[in-house]
Amino acid sequence: PIGGYSQLWNHMDSIGPVGLWQEEAAPGSPQEGLPCSPDSSELAQECLNQFKVTSTQLRQIQASLLRSMEQALTGQASPAPAVRMLPTYVGSTPHGTEQGDFVVLELGATGASLRVLWVTLTGTEGHRIEPRSQEFLIPQEVMLGPGQQLFDFAARCLSEFLDAHPVDRQGLQLGFNFSFPCHQTGLDKSTLISWTKGFRCSGVEGQDVVQLLRDAIERQGACSIDVVAVVNDTVGTMMGCELGTVPCEVGLVVDTGTNACYMEEARHVAVLDEDRGRVCVSIEWGSFGDDGALGSVLTTFDRILDQESLNPGAQRFEKMIGGLYLGELVRQVLAHLAQHGVLFGGCTSRALLSRGGILLEHVAEMEDASAGTARVHAILRDLGLNPGASDAELPCPAALAAVLTRLQHSREQQTLQIAVATGGRVFEHHPRFLSVLQETVTLLAPECDVSFIPSVDGGGQGVAMVTAVAARLAAHRRLLEETLAPFRLNREQLAVVQAQMREAMVKGLQGEASSLRMLPTYVRATPDGSERGDFLALDLGGTNFRVLLVHVATEGVQITNQVYSIPECVAQGSGQQLFDHIVDCILDFQQKQGLSGQSLPLGFTFSFPCRQLGLDQGILLNWTKGFNASDCEGQDVVLLLREALERRQAMKLTVVAIVNDTVGTMMSCGYEDPRCEVGLIVGTGTNACYMEELRNVAGVAGDLGHMCINMEWGAFGDDGSLDTLSTCFDASVDRASINPGKQRFEKMISGMYLGEIVRHILLHLTSLGVLFRGQQTQSLQTRDIFKTKFLSEIERCRAVHYRLPPPKGVFLFTLGGRLVGGRSTQEDRSHERGANARPYLCVLFLPVPSDSLALRQVRAILEDLGLPLTSDDTLMVLEVCQAVSQRAAQLCGAGVAAVVEKIRENRGLEELTVSVGVDGTLYKLHPHFSRLVAATVQELAPCCAVTFLQSEDGSGKGAALVTAVACRLAKQAHV
């Protein structure tokens, strides 16, 4: 057996000569000096053996309660559940910054009395101020009268208390400790299920007790009080726990009755339909075992006690643990032994035979070994009883172990470090209860590192803390919403961006001053599927350089490529050195592929700012991305490449086209879909291109046909047109950049800057005390510490459900009930060419996000950054990331909407069907960015049916296809 179930026997052994306690016989009586018979000793042992509980039985109790908890959380419980998992709508625990004055009204926690408290919280830095309180006895006629009479009495007591304490009565915040069974539907909404503890006020059951109190306060009319929260004593116990090194997220009360609460993941509480954060759940475990789950550990005495109670068959668990029953169990045992002649020489007393004759306090005093035998004898003389023990100690640890196991599993932690706040007279008066609790919990939940902390007045200080936390959360929520409001763009704001971009496009095409340069690329057509042959492609846009062999045939496009590095000394050396290195890489690639001596057309993807004068002429405007090769800026880079080729006379290559990565993206997707006439890059930077009517391009001769325009839209807004949407955080990022005042649109959209915007927001919220307890850390002060990839990683954890049937002709792929992809059937692919045409991804507009994994990802990222976070912090950081990402996607969508509407109006169409080829890590890796872009385009350009296609190697394959199209057009012109 575990614990102290042989305590009664051991105490008897310390007094009685043969292991039984005896009442001292009167001198000269027949019993004087006579030992109990061996049969009596065996009977006592048999009686006490019933209270022995094995570790196997304890684990069965633990497992049974855990199952009942999970069933109740998921809504699978029967109409009479073993436990009721009731959300309390307390969404956060204290983090030490709570300050202010709060009023607490306590009703039902101490029987027939009402208590009012004035609690001042000073935060972790201030010294603790003892609460002021006053207790009011509730008359019997009020406890049994109309409900309005009770609440009017409470309001009068409240007013009397405030009259006695000179305080400002305006704007007081009150926490209501209402310790009766209730159905709570909000932090300040709680419906009384039934009265207990001797109260029977009419007209209250089924009513919102908070509203009844508010009405009574209003009738009193003496002060302005806001009832912020209604709280039971268990939640107050958890919230009143002193802050320690580990979070206190479990409350355990063993008093007249017993209950527990803990912070559950909100996603597991079915009735909330909420996926973010945590919520305190009141277990209401007193009824556990009413279904027979405790049958193996119920003793004869437990059954007798139950039968004689006011509610036979109910609250079985509470009757084995609660202080109301603990003394009664001892009385039942001692009466049984006395009636069988084992104790007191077979004599009984009125106290022994009277229900309630032995109280919890009596048992606690007699079991206190430090009091000594003399104190035990004194109690015996007063009561005519011997001390004993009860079976209260072990079922409680088994139940608590179930709660801790639940927490550890739901949070997917190998080891759970947590504090349990304890409260109630059993903890206060029973000397061994806590030690046995600790030992047994360690046995049953070895993976949980648990510390037990006595709560500081859970009914008063704890309820005030709930009120303070609610006030803090409300204030922080208000500050968060104010901070993020500029990032939440409405349709009207996005329509203005669309119109401004449209205006800038027209001005740029006409050669007027505009933030959009609208550069002609001299690409005059997209692939039509007839392109054939072998082409070389070069891709220079960073520290790595690629050479590709692209084979275009009837069955599709085949690519062979090799990556070469560009040393820093070459990237920042002379221009001749750089282009000689590029040609050496081409020569090496040709040799490895067996192409030496062959003359192949070549397309050159050069991802640096250029002004094109022809398809094969591009003037470098300036280096970026760490390149600074001399004698290149202002020069034709195609000519520099040709000169380097001439220096290697063995090579016979024809440079047909210079291409930027945006055009390459459009051409790459255009080979798969001839309707693709727009290219979009959203990665480290951002840009777009599209096929414009040649007649609208002022800088190029001719009126017939089309011309691909490189918009260089990253600079949109450099003329101040985006100032109304720019925030102080955008301004901070811009000032710290290498090009202040430039690329304003890009700095609000692209991956190079989004992480920095988030970091500046987090710094601001920390300075307001909203995040990280207001503690500024060096890591958050570090530039670029919060990577844009974190936004994608966080959002990638948000699963998406598809709630409506998919469109006709669409197959959906699911994993574990979650949609992971989709594609169209053959009937929707009639416009594609070739047997190997790529299926289209189905764009979904009806997501139901799940944030639980995202919150865990936020926590992991912030912990890696060394930030002192709470569960509230993770939720707010998630919202910040979502707001910044959403604005970026919406602005991008507004730009695309301007482009497709321009194409539609150019062609005089009522409706336009067009595809957009897209590349870039932000667009591809952020799981919701593409959906938000598409949704914005659909809203702002309803007359355009837009399909988004992700490019495959736009910079390499695209360059080759630009070359292939140019060769095709040249051949057609020759014919």
Side-chain angles (χ1 to χ4, degrees), residues 58 481 575 583 644 699 751 827 952:
L58 289 172
E481 291 299 327
V583 170
E827 62 183 325
E952 294 181 357

Side-chain angles (χ1 to χ4, degrees), residues 16 42 79 86 112 178 232 258 294 358 424 448 492 525 583 640 664 800 826 845 885:
E42 291 174 5
L86 303 179
F178 190 74
N232 68 28
T258 181
L294 295 173
I358 298 182
C448 299
E492 290 70 26
V583 170
L640 294 176
V800 176
Q826 189 64 40
F845 296 98
S885 299

Side-chain angles (χ1 to χ4, degrees), residues 2 6 28 73 231 322 362 379 455 511 546 652 661 668 720 743 750 898:
I2 300 169
S6 58
L73 284 171
V231 187
H362 297 140
I379 297 171
S455 179
R546 287 194 306 154
K652 299 178 181 179
D661 52 356
S668 175
Q743 300 295 102
S750 71

